[in-house]
Amino acid sequence: MRQNSLSYKYGVTVSVTFWLHPGSIILRAAIDIDGLEIILEKEKADHPDKSSALALFTEFPSNPLLRCADLPRLRALADKYDFLIVVDETIGNLVNVEVLPYADVVVSSLSKVFSGDSNVMGGSLILNPKGRHYSELKTYFAANYEDSYYCEDATYMERNSRDFSRRIRVIDANTQAVCAFLHSQPSVKTVYYPKYTTPEHYARCKRPGGGFGGLFSVTFHDPRVSEAFFNALPCHKGPSLGTNFTLACPYTILGHYAELDWAAEYGVEKGLVRVSVGMEDQKVLLDGFERALKVAVDSIKD
């Protein structure tokens, strides 16, 4: 049984659960993957009779900074120290990335872009049949899984997913165009997008012909521009992602309002705007983002 957990973050969302600890320990973003290996080695030395770690959980890429873990290296650590790797590929999605070779378990929110229509909820879990612990995991799920998915939800999910691949191609192209525009603007501080953020890690799992997904975040040199830009965006506003229509939110304000300083320690700025790009006409999308940015920049000149 797991007792406590140790969370490890180096700019991506990574959590490692250990057998024995007096509490939860968070390593700050400045610590890289070498720091994780040092901790694993120390745990092994302190408890040589058992595997120190139980499982490592990570997103690919992460939300909201769109950074990717070095999955091959984490896989090597998992094999050496005998722990599971669980990867959430919701944001990258299976059309764009293939993470199963590095994971024991791959999970995804089917409520997001797999459905796209925002009218049904669901999730998936895939076991890697080549994983060291596959037999044990398969036996556990066979004994404990209960199929309680409502039949009409299953019907809607199947219907919505029929054009999943086609929708992804449109969304990928739209997102890349919007990010290219924002990336070139002097008022923009950073565009967080897998093409620009830890691209070498993303490339290792990117499928041939795959894109970079439909989610990005953006920050600005002047926080006033951030607020004005979000307010001027001609799209729906809300905290979800993966919708067929473009959806934006002031992510940090919504998710970490009571802990803004803590979020900033991990690089998640107060003024960060997260955008989930949809399937609108690309020219219409670009015109909308250009107008919103112009309104925002002009607003601080008054």
Side-chain angles (χ1 to χ4, degrees):
M1 297 293 292
R2 71 185 64 181
Q3 294 189 8
N4 289 293
S5 66
L6 181 149
S7 296
Y8 174 75
K9 296 188 178 182
Y10 52 99
V12 300
T13 305
V14 178
S15 174
V16 186
T17 301
F18 285 83
W19 277 100
L20 299 171
H21 268 295
S24 180
I25 301 171
I26 296 178
L27 302 183
R28 300 306 178 186
I31 305 298
D32 63 11
I33 198 169
D34 294 326
L36 174 60
E37 189 166 11
I38 290 171
I39 290 175
L40 290 168
E41 186 60 37
K42 183 178 185 304
E43 289 293 313
K44 183 177 180 180
D46 291 344
H47 308 285
D49 57 330
K50 65 171 59 178
S51 299
S52 58
L54 291 175
L56 180 147
F57 302 86
T58 186
E59 299 171 296
F60 196 92
S62 68
N63 178 26
L65 298 185
L66 286 302
R67 293 174 177 172
C68 298
D70 185 347
L71 289 186
R73 188 173 178 192
L74 291 179
R75 180 71 261 167
L77 290 178
D79 292 340
K80 180 178 180 179
Y81 295 100
D82 194 26
F83 58 83
L84 299 173
I85 291 185
V86 182
V87 180
D88 183 341
E89 55 87 84
T90 301
I91 295 173
N93 78 70
L94 58 86
V95 171
N96 291 325
V97 298
E98 184 175 12
V99 299
L100 188 61
Y102 305 107
D104 297 281
V105 182
V106 175
V107 297
S108 187
S109 172
L110 304 183
S111 309
K112 306 301 191 297
V113 72
F114 186 82
S115 167
D117 271 354
S118 307
N119 60 357
V120 64
M121 297 180 68
S124 67
L125 182 148
I126 300 170
L127 302 179
N128 185 348
K130 296 182 179 179
R132 179 186 301 179
H133 299 282
Y134 173 75
S135 296
E136 183 181 359
L137 291 169
K138 180 68 173 177
T139 299
Y140 174 85
F141 281 106
N144 293 277
Y145 173 71
E146 179 182 354
D147 184 359
S148 59
Y149 202 40
Y150 183 49
C151 59
E152 289 195 23
D153 285 346
T155 299
Y156 271 77
M157 184 65 76
E158 188 279 327
R159 184 203 67 182
N160 293 352
S161 69
R162 291 177 188 176
D163 62 348
F164 173 52
S165 295
R166 181 189 67 82
R167 289 187 289 108
I168 291 299
R169 305 301 184 200
V170 175
I171 290 170
D172 284 351
N174 281 348
T175 309
Q176 187 158 327
V178 171
C179 287
F181 162 69
L182 292 173
H183 194 256
S184 68
Q185 301 304 302
S187 58
V188 171
K189 181 179 179 182
T190 306
V191 177
Y192 296 98
Y193 178 56
K195 185 175 181 179
Y196 310 133
T197 313
T198 58
E200 68 283 3
H201 299 328
Y202 189 86
R204 292 190 183 100
C205 297
K206 185 172 176 285
R207 289 183 181 274
F212 297 95
L215 192 72
F216 75 89
S217 297
V218 59
T219 58
F220 300 86
H221 294 290
D222 190 319
R224 295 174 297 173
V225 173
S226 176
E227 181 177 354
F229 173 75
F230 173 75
N231 290 335
L233 275 176
C235 67
H236 293 285
K237 311 294 173 64
S240 190
L241 58 92
T243 49
N244 290 335
F245 50 86
T246 298
L247 190 63
C249 76
Y251 179 89
T252 316
I253 296 296
L254 288 181
H256 301 286
Y257 184 77
E259 50 189 11
L260 295 175
D261 291 340
W262 175 85
E265 291 178 9
Y266 292 101
V268 183
E269 298 182 18
K270 177 181 178 181
L272 182 144
V273 176
R274 193 193 69 182
V275 180
S276 176
V277 178
M279 298 180 64
E280 295 90 346
D281 178 82
Q282 188 173 118
K283 185 179 185 306
V284 172
L285 266 177
L286 286 170
D287 287 347
F289 275 84
E290 288 184 34
R291 289 196 306 272
L293 187 60
K294 184 178 187 305
V295 168
V297 172
D298 288 348
S299 70
I300 65 172
K301 297 177 181 177
D302 298 335

